[in-house]
Amino acid sequence: MSTPADTSMTALGQKSTRIRRRIRIGGTVQGVGFRPFVYRLAQESGLTGLVRNDESGVYIEVEGAREAVTSFESHLTASPPPLASIDSVVTESIPIANDLHFSIEHTRRDHDAVTQISPDIAVCDDCLREMNDSSDRRFRYPFINCTNCGPRYTIIDKIPYDRPYTSMKIFPMCAACEKEYHDPSDRRFHAQPVSCPECGPRLWLRDGQGERISDNPIGDTIDCIVNGAVVAIRGLGGFHLAVDACNDDAVRRLRARKAREDKPLALLMPDLETARRFCAISDIEAGTLTNPRRPIVLLRKRLDGAQVAPSVAPDNNYLGVMLPYTPLHHLLFDGRVHALVMTSANISDEPIAIGNAEALARLAGIADLFLMHDREILQRCDDSIVRVTRGTPALIRRSRGYVPSPVPMPISIEPPVLACGADLKNTIALARERGAVLSQHIGDLDNPAALDFFRETIAHLQALLQFTPGMIACDLHPDYQSSRWARAQNRIPVIEVQHHHAHLASVMAENGVADPTIGIILDGTGYGLDGTTWGGEVLVGDFHSFDRHAWLTPVPMPGGDTAARQPWRMAVSYLAHSGFSLEDITALSPAWSIEPETVAHVVAMIERSVNTPLSSGCGRLFDAVAAILGICMQNTFEARAPIALEMAAGTDPLLQSEFASCSTSRNEGRGPVSCIDLIHDVVDGVRRRESTRRLARRFHVGLAEKVIACAISAAHTTGINRVALSGGVFQNRLLQEYVAGRLIDRNLEVLTHRLVPANDGGIALGQVAVANARYTSAEVT
């Protein structure tokens, strides 16, 4: 195709062709300072043209000498703004226009939106320097931001990312902010949330009755925290409940009011140096803590350093620590408090509170004081949680700082898929073309407020991304709230995906793998194809289908779901299944603080098959062993017993020398896998009064060797040399590191989760992949 061109003289007197190019940039390129970057680059290159946001990302027209345009295009992708992520660049030549300057144009909204939105990003060092400069007009301003930092996803209503489409639209810029906003040389050039004390959001402090009580809200908040108060603080994605983390009375008071008996509480520490006083921190963990995404990072407690209150994380070897990510967080530390408990502001299992009136109503009786502001939060967004395993950060909860960055898919998604996730740790996913956008953490859908949040999130993300699903994916479970919602949608095909198939597909998808893979899937509960509860499986499959190669032998769950809340019931079941008599079981039960008559009743239920559904759930096996060892009798929060068993095993890596022989190592590893030998080993150890640590470690290694043997069997049978690890049990660092290491030693490739959680928070991604494969193979009409 011929392109109209012009010529001009270069400095050496040679003719140079003048050209004009149209460039479309896709990816996370809105709300990250991309247009100002393009403007400055064009100015430096002596080019004319324009740049604007549109539904696809950033649209550029650039004109000038061919050499200058070529150099511009090279720098465009080689050195974009730090928060930008470029997925696609499409360039074409167009007729020259002979315009006289380069301009930033207003956004156009002509088509459905397909661009990506930046997550919320921690305040940058430049803004912090200004905030701490007494001569700066934003001195100690708790909402300072620029194009490189600040709120994004939680304040946006729709795209493109422009101020009128955010919660900042109610704050007209003052003259000084407006000048910065329109100055191409300024760091706040076209920064949508730009504001200052004169024109922007403001803070105030209220008492429990909602009355304003302070002219110095930050200083008085710190005073109250030092004196033991519980303060609700409105942040970026919702309210937090804060107390002094070194004041055990305050922490206990918070727990009692929040109805959070012993689940670990997150901590906010002022800087990395302080965090090192409380925790042992590797270089990778330090990098994760200081990353602009600012997740909570699980860190090993220091035994020889500073200590937080025992009630922060009872019976746990780790602390969940994050560093400040908002300007307000930095202002809360003036040297009097070294660590703050900073936990989601809610009653346990409810969504986080975001509105001022909502917080006053929902948190009455929990918070003594309320530190509020008037920048509305448009999307609830809990803090993300990361744990470093095998030297790699892996997400346990994917939320603030990561959402809504898309997860690349190894396959093309057509038509667009809405995946509804699971009912525990729910997230949803919207996927089209080669990417999937997972929602922030929604929570457990057996709570009515969380179910409302689930519906709100689907509606918001569909509107935000201009997304119309061509099909819906959901879990196979007939009674999941998420699946009921999916089936109630009219005129859209619904594809039901088996829970553990979704786990396998999830870890494959995030690793860019679509070919058949062996999956070791270990979790608590998943509805099986045979109508029983699965949860300890070795699968062989791809996105389209799977074969169940091996599984833990199912045992009764006495009382059904009650057994998942009371680990001692699973102890009784596994003991009875392993051939122990009622007399043997009741001899062990005094350590459980359970009456012999109650134990006898549960044994009778099992013998008569009364309300005792079968389960192969690995989480239930962990429950049983934790109870037999006397570690945990009640799951006061999900997976408390398995976590307690991991903590009892210590933080040192597991060793093969601790292996107790198991039956699977002596057969082909296909079909049901008995754990009777593991139970007998634990009981024998209890009777010999071996240390709990030793028995907990030996159980971990014995179970690991069983699933490893099954995976190796599957590899020999199928010729597949790739093994994927997924399911919530693999959040156990000891187990995951041991299993992965042993498989790698056998020259097998191992896939693990990094981008999405191994738990049910990653299920939606797998549902997308499976639903797409089944749809494209014409299984669905």
Side-chain angles (χ1 to χ4, degrees):
M1 179 179 78
S2 61
T3 302
D6 198 358
T7 59
S8 59
M9 298 298 291
T10 68
L12 297 178
Q14 299 171 323
K15 287 186 177 181
S16 175
T17 302
R18 183 177 179 87
I19 62 172
R20 189 176 185 91
R21 293 271 175 81
R22 175 186 292 132
I23 307 170
R24 296 182 184 273
I25 310 289
T28 305
V29 290
Q30 293 190 15
V32 295
F34 208 93
R35 288 180 299 170
F37 159 71
V38 170
Y39 180 93
R40 287 190 288 269
L41 186 59
Q43 293 286 86
E44 293 166 3
S45 304
L47 303 175
T48 63
L50 59 93
V51 61
R52 64 171 177 259
N53 284 343
D54 65 12
E55 293 81 358
S56 300
V58 170
Y59 175 94
I60 305 166
E61 291 185 15
V62 65
E63 181 175 322
R66 181 183 297 276
E67 296 84 354
V69 172
T70 301
S71 176
F72 170 88
E73 292 174 338
S74 175
H75 283 88
L76 194 65
T77 55
S79 55
L83 302 182
S85 175
I86 297 175
D87 289 346
S88 63
V89 180
V90 178
T91 303
E92 61 180 320
S93 297
I94 58 176
I96 61 173
N98 291 315
D99 35 23
L100 301 178
H101 54 81
F102 193 92
S103 63
I104 295 181
E105 290 192 344
H106 292 299
T107 297
R108 292 186 182 178
R109 294 178 57 84
D110 301 324
H111 306 286
D112 286 350
V114 295
T115 192
Q116 298 166 18
I117 304 158
S118 169
D120 301 295
I121 296 297
V123 58
C124 68
D125 290 340
D126 289 332
C127 284
L128 286 178
R129 278 191 289 270
E130 291 179 349
M131 188 182 74
N132 293 319
D133 182 353
S134 60
S135 65
D136 193 279
R137 71 190 188 91
R138 292 188 176 90
F139 177 56
R140 294 185 64 79
Y141 182 56
F143 303 96
I144 191 170
N145 66 83
C146 69
T147 54
N148 295 323
C149 68
R152 298 292 190 271
Y153 176 62
T154 54
I155 65 168
I156 190 171
D157 182 49
K158 57 184 175 181
I159 52 177
Y161 177 69
D162 287 332
R163 194 178 181 104
Y165 304 135
T166 73
S167 59
M168 290 298 297
K169 64 186 177 184
I170 66 171
F171 301 103
M173 285 182 280
C174 66
C177 286
E178 186 113 29
K179 183 174 181 296
E180 293 171 330
Y181 183 85
H182 291 291
D183 181 358
S185 66
D186 196 279
R187 197 173 81 254
R188 296 186 174 88
F189 183 43
H190 280 248
Q192 304 309 324
V194 63
S195 60
C196 72
E198 182 179 337
C199 65
R202 291 170 173 80
L203 280 177
W204 62 88
L205 187 64
R206 293 186 184 273
D207 61 19
Q209 287 69 50
E211 298 296 324
R212 295 199 186 201
I213 58 173
S214 174
D215 294 325
N216 180 21
I218 295 175
D220 288 345
T221 294
I222 299 170
D223 288 341
C224 293
I225 288 174
V226 169
N227 290 321
V230 178
V231 182
I233 300 174
R234 196 182 198 192
L236 196 63
F239 276 83
H240 285 100
L241 292 168
V243 297
D244 182 353
C246 296
N247 183 334
D248 200 51
D249 288 340
V251 177
R252 288 177 178 274
R253 186 160 49 251
L254 171 60
R255 283 195 178 280
R257 294 178 183 180
K258 185 178 160 71
R260 185 165 176 166
E261 184 176 340
D262 47 18
K263 188 176 182 179
L265 299 167
L267 299 174
L268 180 71
M269 295 186 182
D271 49 45
L272 184 59
E273 181 182 357
T274 301
R276 289 191 189 278
R277 290 169 50 201
F278 290 89
C279 304
I281 302 175
S282 69
D283 290 344
I284 295 172
E285 289 166 336
T288 307
L289 276 172
T290 56
N291 186 290
R293 298 178 185 273
R294 286 294 199 277
I296 297 168
V297 183
L298 299 187
L299 305 170
R300 280 175 295 135
K301 293 178 181 177
R302 287 181 66 95
L303 301 180
D304 58 347
Q307 301 292 313
V308 297
S311 298
V312 167
D315 302 319
N316 201 301
N317 303 327
Y318 293 82
L319 295 175
V321 177
M322 60 182 165
L323 299 185
Y325 56 87
T326 71
L328 175 59
H329 289 162
H330 287 272
L331 293 171
L332 289 173
F333 291 101
D334 64 357
R336 289 182 287 167
V337 177
H338 302 295
L340 290 172
V341 165
M342 197 68 92
T343 186
S344 299
N346 55 9
I347 298 290
S348 291
D349 299 328
E350 290 184 356
I352 189 171
I354 58 173
N356 289 332
E358 176 192 5
L360 287 170
R362 288 178 56 194
L363 304 177
I366 300 178
D368 300 307
L369 300 164
F370 296 80
L371 184 60
M372 297 178 162
H373 63 73
D374 54 357
R375 185 180 68 201
E376 293 304 318
I377 300 168
L378 301 184
Q379 272 294 288
R380 305 173 201 273
C381 209
D382 280 287
D383 298 309
S384 296
I385 304 175
V386 169
R387 187 177 201 172
V388 174
T389 303
R390 297 173 61 231
T392 302
L395 281 156
I396 291 177
R397 183 167 74 194
R398 188 177 190 273
S399 205
R400 177 196 48 79
Y402 295 85
V403 173
S405 295
V407 177
M409 297 292 291
I411 52 175
S412 182
I413 307 300
E414 183 60 36
V417 180
L418 163 61
C420 296
D423 267 20
L424 296 180
K425 295 180 172 62
N426 179 265
T427 64
I428 62 115
L430 306 182
R432 59 187 165 198
E433 299 176 355
R434 305 285 298 200
V437 173
L438 273 72
S439 73
Q440 66 273 41
H441 170 78
I442 293 172
D444 297 350
L445 300 188
D446 57 356
N447 183 288
L451 187 57
D452 288 342
F453 183 23
F454 165 81
R455 299 187 188 102
E456 292 165 6
T457 301
I458 291 174
H460 178 79
L461 274 178
Q462 286 191 143
L464 185 62
L465 300 179
Q466 304 268 310
F467 185 94
T468 302
M471 59 176 152
I472 298 176
C474 66
D475 196 275
L476 181 65
H477 199 296
D479 294 325
Y480 270 9
Q481 295 288 350
S482 53
S483 300
R484 287 179 175 176
W485 180 90
R487 297 183 195 104
Q489 307 311 300
N490 296 322
R491 299 182 300 278
I492 302 178
V494 175
I495 298 177
E496 297 177 342
V497 181
Q498 200 280 322
H499 191 86
H500 300 95
H501 189 195
H503 269 304
L504 172 60
S506 176
V507 67
M508 289 172 58
E510 76 155 275
N511 282 279
V513 171
D515 294 330
T517 299
I518 299 164
I520 304 177
I521 314 300
L522 305 179
D523 66 0
T525 294
Y527 190 78
L529 297 180
D530 58 2
T532 67
T533 299
W534 293 3
E537 328 299 320
V538 174
L539 308 180
V540 179
D542 54 17
F543 294 151
H544 181 269
S545 62
F546 71 93
D547 172 59
R548 194 183 185 205
H549 181 85
W551 56 92
L552 299 184
T553 301
V555 299
M557 287 180 61
D561 289 344
T562 302
R565 297 189 293 272
Q566 298 178 348
W568 67 267
R569 289 176 177 263
M570 291 309 305
V572 172
S573 181
Y574 263 100
L575 289 166
H577 174 75
S578 302
F580 289 92
S581 67
L582 175 59
E583 182 180 359
D584 294 329
I585 298 171
T586 53
L588 292 167
S589 65
W592 312 344
S593 299
I594 305 296
E595 294 295 329
E597 294 80 6
T598 305
V599 172
H601 173 70
V602 170
V603 170
M605 289 176 62
I606 295 169
E607 291 175 345
R608 298 168 186 168
S609 300
V610 177
N611 192 18
T612 51
L614 294 177
S615 171
S616 64
C618 188
R620 303 291 76 81
L621 174 60
F622 269 80
D623 285 347
V625 174
I628 293 170
L629 292 177
I631 295 172
C632 180
M633 299 302 117
Q634 300 285 335
N635 273 328
T636 52
F637 59 90
E638 189 195 3
R640 183 195 172 202
I643 291 170
L645 189 57
E646 178 189 357
M647 296 304 108
T651 58
D652 295 333
L654 300 173
L655 302 174
Q656 190 179 2
S657 60
E658 299 174 280
F659 172 49
S661 62
C662 64
S663 56
T664 306
S665 62
R666 296 193 296 269
N667 62 33
E668 76 280 6
R670 183 176 178 86
V673 177
S674 172
C675 292
I676 290 175
D677 55 330
L678 297 182
I679 299 299
H680 275 273
D681 184 67
V682 171
V683 173
D684 290 345
V686 169
R687 288 170 171 169
R688 290 192 299 265
R689 300 193 177 184
E690 292 185 61
S691 72
T692 299
R693 181 180 185 274
R694 177 174 176 146
L695 292 174
R697 293 177 65 80
R698 201 156 70 215
F699 165 75
H700 274 77
V701 177
L703 174 64
E705 288 293 338
K706 285 180 179 289
V707 298
I708 290 166
C710 293
I712 292 171
S713 164
H716 288 162
T717 301
T718 64
I720 298 169
N721 71 341
R722 183 188 308 110
V723 182
L725 312 182
S726 189
V729 173
F730 275 118
Q731 289 176 173
N732 181 316
R733 182 183 63 83
L734 295 178
L735 187 71
Q736 197 217 80
E737 289 184 346
Y738 183 87
V739 171
R742 292 273 287 125
L743 291 170
I744 291 170
D745 288 344
R746 298 294 296 264
N747 297 317
L748 293 169
E749 179 188 359
V750 176
L751 308 181
T752 57
H753 286 281
R754 297 163 291 107
L755 304 179
V756 302
N759 63 39
D760 284 4
I763 280 283
L765 182 66
Q767 290 175 345
V768 165
V770 173
N772 180 79
R774 288 170 54 184
Y775 190 96
T776 55
S777 66
E779 279 191 32
V780 178
T781 58

